[in-house]
Structures are given as C-alpha cells and as structure tokens.
Amino acid sequence: RPDSPVLSPDYALRGGGKAGADKDSDHIVAARDREIRALHAERDALQREMRDGKKRLMDFDTENQQLVSTNQQHIAENARLRAIIHEWSVRHAKLEAKLQQTKT
C-alpha cells in the first residue's frame, strides 16, 4: 500500500512516525500540564475560601461568646434590680401599715 507508514517516504513529514508520536505526546503532556495547573489553582482557591470561612466562624464564635457574657451580666443586673424593687416594696408596705395605725 502506498499510504503505509513503512512504504511512504514522506510519512514523517506529514506528522506520522516518531515525529508525529512526539508531537502527540507533547500535546498530551501540555494538556495534562494545563489540567494540573488548573487543578492546583482550584485547590488554592478552595483553600483560601476554607481559610476565610474558618476565620468567619471564629469571628462569629467570638462575637457569640461576647453576647453570652453580656447577656449574663444583664441577667445578674436584672436580678439585683428586682431585689432592690422587692426591698422597696416591703419598706413601702411597712410604712403604709404604720401610717394606717397612726390614723386610727
């Protein structure tokens, strides 16, 4: 056959033979290299996103802890004020009772 790579003298010139195989493998290697670089870039982007997410979670956790602490302070202050109001109410009731006794 005249098209046979073994019989055709210009097979190497048309991209066949060793030169063609080298070209094909160069393209394959280049494509895989691009794919690897793309995967590395995607991995780096995901790692940045994960670091940012972890930082946001830590910020939210810190803010939450501050809110819990503030809430506990408000609860304690509320209890203190209720005790004061109760004491004033008791004093008021005693004074009211004495006032009623002096009127009678």
Side-chain angles (χ1 to χ4, degrees), residues 74-84:
H74 288 162
I75 289 171
E77 180 68 7
N78 190 19
R80 187 183 74 79
L81 292 172
R82 285 179 185 271
I84 290 171

Side-chain angles (χ1 to χ4, degrees), residues 37-67:
R37 277 184 273 173
L39 289 171
H40 282 297
E42 185 178 352
R43 181 199 61 198
D44 293 344
L46 289 171
Q47 284 177 337
R48 280 191 301 275
E49 190 176 327
M50 190 172 63
R51 276 193 303 271
D52 292 346
K54 283 181 179 180
K55 184 180 182 310
R56 276 192 300 247
L57 284 174
M58 288 172 42
D59 291 345
F60 286 145
D61 189 45
T62 300
E63 184 179 354
N64 188 45
Q65 288 174 359
Q66 291 171 347
L67 290 172

Side-chain angles (χ1 to χ4, degrees), residues 86-98:
H86 177 71
E87 184 180 336
W88 288 352
S89 295
V90 169
R91 284 183 187 179
H92 174 73
K94 287 180 181 177
L95 288 173
E96 192 70 37
K98 282 185 182 181

